[in-house]
mmCIF file of all heavy atoms in Angstrom:
data_model
loop_
_atom_site.group_PDB
_atom_site.id
_atom_site.type_symbol
_atom_site.label_atom_id
_atom_site.label_comp_id
_atom_site.label_asym_id
_atom_site.label_seq_id
_atom_site.Cartn_x
_atom_site.Cartn_y
_atom_site.Cartn_z
ATOM 1 N N LEU A 208 -26.393 -10.437 -13.704
ATOM 2 C CA LEU A 208 -25.870 -9.408 -12.785
ATOM 3 C C LEU A 208 -27.047 -8.398 -12.592
ATOM 4 O O LEU A 208 -27.594 -7.769 -13.520
ATOM 5 C CB LEU A 208 -24.772 -8.652 -13.440
ATOM 6 C CG LEU A 208 -24.064 -7.555 -12.618
ATOM 7 C CD1 LEU A 208 -23.275 -8.156 -11.501
ATOM 8 C CD2 LEU A 208 -23.044 -6.764 -13.513
ATOM 9 N N MET A 209 -27.390 -8.268 -11.313
ATOM 10 C CA MET A 209 -28.475 -7.298 -11.015
ATOM 11 C C MET A 209 -27.850 -6.081 -10.366
ATOM 12 O O MET A 209 -27.231 -6.060 -9.393
ATOM 13 C CB MET A 209 -29.478 -7.982 -9.955
ATOM 14 C CG MET A 209 -30.457 -8.977 -10.605
ATOM 15 S SD MET A 209 -30.399 -10.412 -9.532
ATOM 16 C CE MET A 209 -28.905 -11.217 -10.053
ATOM 17 N N GLY A 210 -27.998 -4.915 -11.219
ATOM 18 C CA GLY A 210 -27.294 -3.666 -10.768
ATOM 19 C C GLY A 210 -26.133 -3.385 -11.603
ATOM 20 O O GLY A 210 -25.193 -4.166 -11.657
ATOM 21 N N TYR A 211 -26.232 -2.260 -12.435
ATOM 22 C CA TYR A 211 -25.079 -1.966 -13.280
ATOM 23 C C TYR A 211 -24.586 -0.609 -12.944
ATOM 24 O O TYR A 211 -24.308 0.312 -13.707
ATOM 25 C CB TYR A 211 -25.574 -1.962 -14.798
ATOM 26 C CG TYR A 211 -24.466 -2.066 -15.797
ATOM 27 C CD1 TYR A 211 -23.620 -3.272 -15.771
ATOM 28 C CD2 TYR A 211 -24.175 -1.155 -16.652
ATOM 29 C CE1 TYR A 211 -22.572 -3.359 -16.680
ATOM 30 C CE2 TYR A 211 -23.150 -1.213 -17.538
ATOM 31 C CZ TYR A 211 -22.336 -2.372 -17.617
ATOM 32 O OH TYR A 211 -21.289 -2.530 -18.424
ATOM 33 N N GLY A 212 -24.423 -0.445 -11.540
ATOM 34 C CA GLY A 212 -23.622 0.783 -11.144
ATOM 35 C C GLY A 212 -22.116 0.594 -11.317
ATOM 36 O O GLY A 212 -21.794 -0.347 -11.940
ATOM 37 N N PRO A 213 -21.298 1.326 -10.766
ATOM 38 C CA PRO A 213 -19.891 1.269 -10.900
ATOM 39 C C PRO A 213 -19.403 -0.087 -10.514
ATOM 40 O O PRO A 213 -18.488 -0.739 -11.117
ATOM 41 C CB PRO A 213 -19.283 2.383 -10.078
ATOM 42 C CG PRO A 213 -20.342 3.366 -9.855
ATOM 43 C CD PRO A 213 -21.691 2.597 -9.997
ATOM 44 N N THR A 214 -19.953 -0.557 -9.449
ATOM 45 C CA THR A 214 -19.596 -1.901 -8.914
ATOM 46 C C THR A 214 -19.981 -2.984 -9.828
ATOM 47 O O THR A 214 -19.201 -3.858 -10.158
ATOM 48 C CB THR A 214 -20.257 -2.048 -7.450
ATOM 49 O OG1 THR A 214 -20.188 -0.768 -6.880
ATOM 50 C CG2 THR A 214 -19.571 -3.144 -6.659
ATOM 51 N N GLY A 215 -21.290 -2.945 -10.238
ATOM 52 C CA GLY A 215 -21.720 -3.944 -11.132
ATOM 53 C C GLY A 215 -20.948 -4.041 -12.489
ATOM 54 O O GLY A 215 -20.672 -5.002 -12.969
ATOM 55 N N ARG A 216 -20.603 -2.775 -12.998
ATOM 56 C CA ARG A 216 -19.933 -2.651 -14.163
ATOM 57 C C ARG A 216 -18.515 -3.378 -14.128
ATOM 58 O O ARG A 216 -18.162 -4.004 -15.043
ATOM 59 C CB ARG A 216 -19.749 -1.184 -14.549
ATOM 60 C CG ARG A 216 -19.337 -0.914 -15.994
ATOM 61 C CD ARG A 216 -19.253 0.584 -16.342
ATOM 62 N NE ARG A 216 -20.500 1.176 -15.758
ATOM 63 C CZ ARG A 216 -20.497 2.333 -15.159
ATOM 64 N NH1 ARG A 216 -19.314 3.037 -14.957
ATOM 65 N NH2 ARG A 216 -21.652 2.882 -14.708
ATOM 66 N N GLY A 217 -17.891 -3.189 -12.896
ATOM 67 C CA GLY A 217 -16.708 -3.891 -12.750
ATOM 68 C C GLY A 217 -16.761 -5.381 -12.690
ATOM 69 O O GLY A 217 -15.902 -6.105 -13.326
ATOM 70 N N ILE A 218 -17.747 -5.929 -12.082
ATOM 71 C CA ILE A 218 -18.028 -7.363 -12.022
ATOM 72 C C ILE A 218 -18.332 -7.874 -13.428
ATOM 73 O O ILE A 218 -17.755 -8.893 -13.864
ATOM 74 C CB ILE A 218 -19.147 -7.668 -11.121
ATOM 75 C CG1 ILE A 218 -18.852 -7.303 -9.610
ATOM 76 C CG2 ILE A 218 -19.494 -9.164 -11.189
ATOM 77 C CD1 ILE A 218 -19.974 -7.377 -8.667
ATOM 78 N N ALA A 219 -19.139 -7.027 -14.161
ATOM 79 C CA ALA A 219 -19.405 -7.492 -15.601
ATOM 80 C C ALA A 219 -18.238 -7.585 -16.434
ATOM 81 O O ALA A 219 -18.024 -8.587 -17.088
ATOM 82 C CB ALA A 219 -20.408 -6.499 -16.204
ATOM 83 N N GLN A 220 -17.337 -6.595 -16.356
ATOM 84 C CA GLN A 220 -16.156 -6.507 -17.245
ATOM 85 C C GLN A 220 -15.212 -7.770 -16.846
ATOM 86 O O GLN A 220 -14.800 -8.333 -17.818
ATOM 87 C CB GLN A 220 -15.325 -5.298 -16.893
ATOM 88 C CG GLN A 220 -15.848 -4.026 -17.536
ATOM 89 C CD GLN A 220 -14.933 -2.812 -17.228
ATOM 90 O OE1 GLN A 220 -14.001 -2.935 -16.465
ATOM 91 N NE2 GLN A 220 -15.388 -1.782 -17.868
ATOM 92 N N ARG A 221 -15.091 -8.048 -15.600
ATOM 93 C CA ARG A 221 -14.244 -9.202 -15.233
ATOM 94 C C ARG A 221 -14.766 -10.422 -15.563
ATOM 95 O O ARG A 221 -14.119 -11.366 -15.994
ATOM 96 C CB ARG A 221 -13.808 -9.063 -13.796
ATOM 97 C CG ARG A 221 -12.471 -8.496 -13.596
ATOM 98 C CD ARG A 221 -12.356 -7.171 -12.957
ATOM 99 N NE ARG A 221 -11.276 -6.435 -13.491
ATOM 100 C CZ ARG A 221 -11.544 -5.426 -14.352
ATOM 101 N NH1 ARG A 221 -12.712 -5.069 -14.769
ATOM 102 N NH2 ARG A 221 -10.416 -4.804 -14.946
ATOM 103 N N ALA A 222 -16.225 -10.613 -15.372
ATOM 104 C CA ALA A 222 -16.761 -11.845 -15.725
ATOM 105 C C ALA A 222 -16.692 -12.183 -17.134
ATOM 106 O O ALA A 222 -16.388 -13.350 -17.684
ATOM 107 C CB ALA A 222 -18.254 -11.823 -15.247
ATOM 108 N N ARG A 223 -16.843 -11.138 -17.978
ATOM 109 C CA ARG A 223 -16.732 -11.254 -19.435
ATOM 110 C C ARG A 223 -15.308 -11.651 -19.768
ATOM 111 O O ARG A 223 -15.167 -12.505 -20.645
ATOM 112 C CB ARG A 223 -16.952 -9.862 -20.047
ATOM 113 C CG ARG A 223 -17.973 -10.029 -21.081
ATOM 114 C CD ARG A 223 -18.224 -8.725 -21.600
ATOM 115 N NE ARG A 223 -18.742 -8.674 -22.937
ATOM 116 C CZ ARG A 223 -18.722 -7.748 -23.782
ATOM 117 N NH1 ARG A 223 -18.215 -6.597 -23.416
ATOM 118 N NH2 ARG A 223 -19.195 -7.775 -24.947
ATOM 119 N N GLY A 224 -14.294 -11.019 -19.101
ATOM 120 C CA GLY A 224 -12.868 -11.463 -19.312
ATOM 121 C C GLY A 224 -12.636 -12.872 -19.027
ATOM 122 O O GLY A 224 -11.756 -13.524 -19.679
#
Side-chain angles (χ1 to χ4, degrees):
L208 182 70
M209 286 133 278
Y211 201 63
T214 320
R216 199 173 311 137
I218 296 173
Q220 282 180 355
R221 257 110 218 106
R223 228 178 160 198

